[in-house]
Amino acid sequence: MVDLTWQLAHEAGCTTSRFRPDKPAPSDDANVVACLRKVDALELLAKQRLLEERGMLMDGIVYGPPFVNEDLPIEDFVMECSARPMICSSTRFEFDMWKTEETDDVGSFLRVSHPEQVREKYFYDMSFKDHRHKYLTQASFTNNVMYSTAFTKKGVNVYLMEFEDFSGGGEIAADELVSLFVTTSPHSSHGNLQIHSSDMPFFIGLHMRNFTADDELVDRFYAKSFINFIHGRKPDKDWLPFDPSKRNYYSVEANIEKGIFPSNKLDYHSEIVDYWLHNMTEFDRSLSREADTQLLSEQVDVTPGFSIFRTALSALLFGLSLALVFFILMAVWATFSPQDPPNHEQVPLVHRKETQINRKQTVIVSSLKRR
């Protein structure tokens, strides 16, 4: 989409080359944007139509710098957005005329954990429906409820609307819708097929065909409602803000002959929204729980193989453990065995010493004579 925008800028004379540089300077992008803002809107639409005729369709939105980090998940981006009033809209059939379901990334808008199983379940469930919306249409309806709910919880008014079928007819099969889109004339009962962007003539005021009385009524509604909203006013006096518990929306439809006019309705595609936000999300979570349970129940064989190094290391550790136990036992034995008292409490030893008697030499005196 960025490359297409650069080519559009080239067609409008705002770049010297139709190819965007690999690493353009921020000033280059700023200069291109400033130039495009000076070009008349109708001229830009004409240049865009020229590119589309060459097979380069403007069918995407740039999700990236400078507005948002490319790695930021879309749900985090929505929750981090500042609170502001918003209008969300859809058409009755949106992308039902596109035959892309076989290649669509089913469930990606919900960031499911098991895309293959979700895809298989989706096609199985849809096989039981005679009339149904295509996947991209269902994703669009569900996203509208998700974003409307998120911004309503931020405390701002969100206005949800849907561009309905003027004819007031019943359901149309997808194949029949494609056929009608290709073959009907603007004046047939299905001249206004409510597909993606089919309300753009009313939105931008570009009348691409002759308007009926019903068309003119809707055209006035678009002009008045969006001008009011841009100026911070309620889009329409009868249009009620979105209530997540009711999923109310404003049905933009007109059939003057049948007395059908724009009005408030309830349960905006609730069957589809509940299918994705409850049925499919619970199915995806159940697969995760089953995988966790199976992982816990599996027994993994962790028996080691024979290794000389491992055996030697085990023997060494065993020897060290025995030595440690020996030292612990020695320490315990030393703790509880009797010990000598401290030096200051010891009694001096008494040494036994033999007594030595020094005797004088005995002199034998002869008996004295009688005097």
Side-chain angles (χ1 to χ4, degrees):
M1 190 63 186
V2 174
D3 294 334
L4 286 175
T5 304
W6 197 269
Q7 293 199 36
L8 176 63
H10 176 71
E11 295 293 337
C14 293
T15 63
T16 57
S17 172
R18 64 170 51 92
F19 301 106
R20 184 171 183 261
D22 293 335
K23 295 182 179 180
S27 58
D28 294 340
D29 290 340
N31 292 335
V32 171
V33 172
C35 177
L36 287 172
R37 287 175 175 170
K38 297 178 182 178
V39 181
D40 184 76
L42 292 178
E43 183 178 350
L44 285 178
L45 288 174
K47 299 298 184 182
Q48 178 179 331
R49 177 60 60 85
L50 180 63
L51 291 176
E52 290 177 346
E53 290 176 353
R54 298 175 185 172
M56 293 177 285
L57 299 178
M58 300 285 183
D59 59 352
I61 298 175
V62 178
Y63 181 78
F67 304 106
V68 63
N69 186 345
E70 293 179 348
D71 298 328
L72 185 68
I74 186 66
E75 60 269 23
D76 293 343
F77 167 72
V78 173
M79 295 307 299
E80 293 178 6
C81 286
S82 59
R84 67 192 69 184
M86 181 172 62
I87 290 180
C88 288
S89 68
S90 63
T91 60
R92 184 184 180 189
F93 299 109
E94 277 295 335
F95 302 102
D96 285 350
M97 72 289 186
W98 289 17
K99 296 184 177 181
T100 60
E101 277 193 325
E102 295 300 325
T103 57
D104 287 339
D105 191 5
V106 175
S108 60
F109 76 101
L110 291 177
R111 301 179 66 85
V112 294
S113 301
H114 306 85
E116 294 183 3
Q117 292 89 333
V118 167
R119 179 184 181 84
E120 182 178 352
K121 173 178 170 56
Y122 168 76
F123 283 109
Y124 175 79
D125 293 341
M126 295 301 108
S127 65
F128 295 96
K129 295 182 178 295
D130 295 330
H131 302 288
R132 69 174 181 87
H133 292 287
K134 294 292 185 67
Y135 163 71
L136 289 179
T137 301
Q138 296 187 33
S140 178
F141 294 158
T142 307
N143 275 326
N144 275 344
V145 171
M146 292 171 59
Y147 300 153
S148 297
T149 301
F151 276 80
T152 298
K153 290 182 178 180
K154 293 176 183 289
V156 297
N157 287 332
V158 177
Y159 297 93
L160 179 60
M161 61 168 283
E162 180 160 282
F163 186 48
E164 295 276 11
D165 180 20
F166 288 10
S167 66
E171 294 292 338
I172 302 177
D175 293 340
E176 181 184 356
L177 178 64
V178 175
S179 177
L180 288 171
F181 177 71
V182 174
T183 60
T184 54
S185 68
H187 304 288
S188 67
S189 61
H190 287 287
N192 291 316
L193 287 177
Q194 284 63 48
I195 58 177
H196 185 66
S197 299
S198 62
D199 57 345
M200 287 300 291
F202 309 114
F203 184 80
I204 63 177
L206 183 61
H207 298 175
M208 302 173 64
R209 54 181 172 77
N210 295 328
F211 274 6
T212 64
D214 297 337
D215 293 332
E216 292 176 354
L217 190 153
V218 173
D219 188 46
R220 290 192 297 271
F221 167 81
Y222 268 80
K224 180 180 178 180
S225 297
F226 281 89
I227 289 175
N228 285 337
F229 182 77
I230 291 172
H231 287 279
R233 299 189 292 265
K234 189 176 182 180
D236 185 87
K237 61 182 181 64
D238 297 325
W239 191 348
L240 298 177
F242 179 78
D243 183 347
S245 64
K246 300 177 181 178
R247 292 180 183 168
N248 57 293
Y249 67 103
Y250 206 59
S251 173
V252 182
E253 55 184 344
N255 191 315
I256 298 175
E257 292 183 359
K258 297 182 179 181
I260 299 175
F261 300 95
S263 61
N264 291 288
K265 293 184 178 181
L266 302 176
D267 296 323
Y268 174 84
H269 299 287
S270 284
E271 181 181 357
I272 293 174
V273 175
D274 288 338
Y275 172 77
W276 286 103
L277 296 186
H278 298 289
N279 186 316
M280 192 62 83
T281 52
E282 178 58 29
F283 170 74
D284 187 54
R285 283 194 293 265
S286 67
L287 294 177
S288 298
R289 289 194 295 267
E290 290 177 3
D292 294 340
T293 303
Q294 183 178 2
L295 181 62
L296 292 174
S297 62
E298 289 180 352
Q299 295 183 355
V300 182
D301 184 12
V302 294
T303 304
F306 176 77
S307 171
I308 297 177
F309 175 77
R310 188 183 296 112
T311 303
L313 182 61
S314 300
L316 177 61
L317 293 176
F318 179 73
L320 291 175
S321 62
L322 288 179
L324 180 61
V325 171
F326 174 76
F327 284 117
I328 292 175
L329 292 176
M330 291 293 293
V332 172
W333 179 81
T335 301
F336 292 99
S337 62
Q339 299 180 3
D340 293 335
N343 292 333
H344 67 278
E345 296 181 0
Q346 291 182 1
V347 179
L349 296 177
V350 178
H351 299 281
R352 184 176 180 180
K353 185 177 181 181
E354 293 184 0
T355 303
Q356 296 180 357
I357 302 175
N358 296 324
R359 297 179 181 274
K360 293 182 179 182
Q361 186 175 3
T362 304
V363 178
I364 301 175
V365 180
S366 60
S367 300
L368 295 178
K369 295 179 178 181
R370 290 182 179 181
R371 294 178 179 182

